[in-house]
C-alpha cells in the first residue's frame, strides 16, 4: 500500500475573488491625501465665518454686492462639505458589490458641489443684482461692508495660499506647470478649493469696486452690476469644475506622459514583442486601472507569460503607486508596434 507522508508540501494556495485582485507588493501604496483634507477643512471654516460676516454687513448696508458675496461664501461652505464627503466616501475599500472600489464616488460628490455653486451662488447673485438695478434699492452704511471685505480678503487669501502651496508642490513633483496640473489632476478637491478661493478673491475685489463706485456716484447701478459680475464669475467656475468632474465620471484616461511610460514599461519586459492596445482609467483620485493587449514571444511557455505579467505589474506599481489594477490580455500583434500617445493631453 502506498501512503502519503504528512511531510509532503501542500500546493501553494492562490487567492480567489477580490483577494486575487490585490496588487502585488511592489512599491508603496498611494498615501491618503491628508493634505487635501486639511485644505478642504480650512477653506470650509473660513467660508462659514466669512458668510456670516458678509450677511450682517449686507443687511446693514443694503448692498446687493455684499448679499451676493454672502451667498457666494455660503455656497462655498456647503461645497466644502460636499468635497469632504467626497474624500471620505471615495476611500472606502472595494467589496463584491463595487469590486473596483468607491473612488468614482469622489467625482459624484464633487460634481454635485459644482452644481450647487452654480445654483446656490451664481443664480442668487445674478438674480439679486438684476432686482437691485430694477428696483433701484438704496445702500446704507458702507463702512462695515469695507471692513468685512478686508477681513474676508485676508481669510480667503490664507485658504488660497494653502491650496496654492499644495498645487505648486504637486506640479513640481510631476515636473509640469501649475495650469497643466490643475487641468489633468484627478484630485477634484484641491482643484475645487483652488478655483473657488481664486473666484472668492476676485469676487471680493468686484464687490469693493461696486461699493466704491456706488458711494462716489450715488448710483445703485454699480452695486447691482457688481452682484451680476460675481454671479457670472461663479457660473464660470462651476462650469469648469462640472466639466472636469463629468469627464472623470465617464471614465477618463491618465495623462499622455503616464500612458507612454506604462507602454514603455510593459514593452521593456524581455518576452514582450508588442503592446498593440493600452487602455487606462481613473477609478478615483488615487486609483488607476490598466488594461492592455500584449503580444508575447510565441516560443515561451504559459508559466513564463504568467511570470512576465507579474513583473509588469511590479514595474508599473513601483513607478506609479496609484496603479491599483493591471490586466494583461495575450494577443497577437506586430513586433515593435506599441500603443503610444494615448491618454489625455
Amino acid at each position: 500500500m502506498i501512503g502519503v507522508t504528512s511531510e509532503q508540501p501542500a500546493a501553494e494556495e492562490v487567492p480567489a475573488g477580490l483577494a486575487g485582485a490585490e496588487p502585488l507588493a511592489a512599491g508603496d501604496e498611494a498615501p491618503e491625501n491628508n493634505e487635501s483634507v486639511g485644505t478642504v477643512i480650512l477653506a470650509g471654516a473660513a467660508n462659514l465665518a466669512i458668510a456670516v460676516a458678509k450677511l450682517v454687513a449686507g443687511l446693514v448696508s443694503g448692498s446687493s454686492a455684499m448679499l451676493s458675496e454672502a451667498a457666494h461664501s455660503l455656497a462655498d461652505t456647503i461645497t466644502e462639505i460636499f468635497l469632504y464627503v467626497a474624500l471620505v466616501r471615495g476611500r472606502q475599500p472595494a467589496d463584491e458589490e463595487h469590486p473596483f472600489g468607491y473612488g468614482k464616488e469622489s467625482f459624484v460628490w464633487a460634481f454635485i458641489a459644482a452644481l450647487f455653486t452654480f445654483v446656490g451662488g451664481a443664480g442668487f447673485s445674478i438674480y439679486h443684482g438684476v432686482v437691485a438695478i430694477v428696483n433701484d434699492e438704496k445702500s446704507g452704511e458702507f463702512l462695515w461692508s469695507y471692513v468685512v471685505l478686508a477681513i474676508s480678503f485676508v481669510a480667503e487669501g490664507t485658504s488660497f495660499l494653502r491650496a496654492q502651496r499644495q498645487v505648486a508642490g504637486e506640479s513640481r513633483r510631476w515636473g509640469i506647470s501649475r495650469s497643466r496640473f490643475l487641468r489633468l489632476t484627478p484630485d477634484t478637491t484641491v482643484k475645487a478649493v483652488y478655483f473657488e478661493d481664486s473666484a472668492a478673491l476676485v469676487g471680493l475685489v468686484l464687490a469693493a469696486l461696486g461699493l466704491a463706485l456706488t458711494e462716489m456716484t450715488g448710483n445703485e447701478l454699480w452695486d447691482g452690476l457688481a452682484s451680476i459680475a460675481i454671479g457670472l464669475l461663479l457660473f464660470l467656475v462651476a462650469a469648469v469644475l462640472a466639466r472636469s468632474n463629468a469627464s472623470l465620471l465617464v471614465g477618463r484616461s491618465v495623462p499622455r506622459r503616464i500612458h507612454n511610460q506604462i507602454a514603455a514599461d510593459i514593452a521593456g519586459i524581455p518576452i514582450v514583442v508588442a503592446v498593440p492596445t493600452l487602455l487606462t482609467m481613473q477609478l478615483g483620485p488615487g486609483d488607476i486601472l490598466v488594461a492592455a493587449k500584449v503580444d508575447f514571444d510565441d516560443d515561451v511557455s504559459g508559466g513564463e507569460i504568467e511570470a512576465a505579467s507579474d513583473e509588469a505589474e511590479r514595474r508599473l506599481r513601483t513607478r506609479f503607486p496609484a496603479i491599483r489594477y493591471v490586466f494583461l490580455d495575450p494577443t497577437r500583434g506586430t513586433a515593435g508596434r506599441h500603443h503610444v500617445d494615448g491618454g489625455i493631453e
Side-chain angles (χ1 to χ4, degrees):
M1 183 177 67
I2 301 175
V4 179
T5 67
S6 59
E7 297 178 354
Q8 182 177 358
E12 181 182 357
E13 293 186 1
V14 178
L18 287 178
E22 287 298 313
L24 297 178
D28 297 326
E29 293 292 328
E32 292 185 351
N33 201 341
N34 293 323
E35 190 174 6
S36 292
V37 174
T39 299
V40 169
I41 292 176
L42 176 62
N47 284 324
L48 179 59
I50 292 170
V52 174
K54 287 177 180 176
L55 178 61
V56 173
L59 293 175
V60 171
S61 67
S63 168
S64 297
M66 285 302 300
L67 291 176
S68 295
E69 274 297 300
H72 181 174
S73 294
L74 179 60
D76 284 352
T77 302
I78 298 177
T79 294
E80 306 306 335
I81 295 174
F82 284 138
L83 293 177
Y84 181 78
V85 172
L87 285 170
V88 174
R89 296 286 299 173
R91 290 175 176 176
Q92 295 182 95
D95 53 36
E96 291 293 347
E97 186 176 355
H98 298 88
F100 289 107
Y102 290 78
K104 282 186 178 291
E105 190 165 348
S106 296
F107 306 146
V108 173
W109 286 101
F111 184 77
I112 293 173
L115 292 182
F116 187 84
T117 297
F118 169 69
V119 176
F124 176 85
S125 298
I126 294 173
Y127 170 78
H128 201 71
V130 171
V131 170
I133 293 173
V134 172
N135 295 339
D136 193 26
E137 299 175 350
K138 298 299 179 183
S139 299
E141 179 60 48
F142 290 94
L143 178 59
W144 282 110
S145 295
Y146 290 130
V147 171
V148 170
L149 287 175
I151 295 174
S152 300
F153 196 89
V154 173
E156 294 284 7
T158 301
S159 176
F160 173 75
L161 287 176
R162 180 186 176 95
Q164 188 180 48
R165 282 196 299 270
Q166 185 175 354
V167 170
E170 290 295 318
S171 59
R172 281 196 302 270
R173 187 166 69 88
W174 288 102
I176 57 179
S177 66
R178 296 181 189 181
S179 59
R180 183 170 176 77
F181 170 78
L182 287 169
R183 187 170 67 84
L184 298 179
T185 179
D187 189 343
T188 55
T189 54
V190 68
K191 180 188 294 186
V193 172
Y194 186 89
F195 278 111
E196 287 170 1
D197 284 350
S198 300
L201 293 173
V202 175
L204 290 170
V205 173
L206 291 173
L209 185 61
L211 284 172
L213 290 173
T214 299
E215 186 177 14
M216 287 187 296
T217 64
N219 190 343
E220 299 296 330
L221 172 67
W222 297 109
D223 189 46
L225 289 177
S227 180
I228 294 173
I230 292 169
L232 293 175
L233 178 65
L234 287 174
F235 173 79
L236 176 62
V237 170
V240 170
L241 293 176
R243 183 175 183 273
S244 175
N245 289 315
S247 175
L248 289 165
L249 275 172
V250 171
R252 201 180 74 186
S253 63
V254 299
R256 178 160 298 176
R257 187 174 69 171
I258 297 179
H259 174 103
N260 289 345
Q261 186 61 62
I262 291 173
D265 283 346
I266 297 176
I269 303 295
I271 67 172
V272 171
V273 175
V275 185
T277 303
L278 174 60
L279 307 176
T280 62
M281 183 189 298
Q282 288 285 168
L283 296 176
D287 292 322
I288 297 172
L289 179 146
V290 175
K293 289 183 178 295
V294 181
D295 184 11
F296 293 96
D297 191 326
D298 293 337
D299 297 329
V300 300
S301 65
E304 290 175 293
I305 291 177
E306 291 173 353
S309 298
D310 287 346
E311 175 60 22
E313 181 175 350
R314 290 191 184 93
R315 288 189 182 190
L316 295 180
R317 286 186 49 76
T318 298
R319 189 181 300 276
F320 303 113
I323 292 178
R324 178 68 179 170
Y325 300 98
V326 178
F327 300 105
L328 304 183
D329 177 19
T331 304
R332 186 176 300 278
T334 302
R337 186 172 183 179
H338 310 301
H339 181 187
V340 295
D341 293 336
I344 182 175
E345 179 55 39

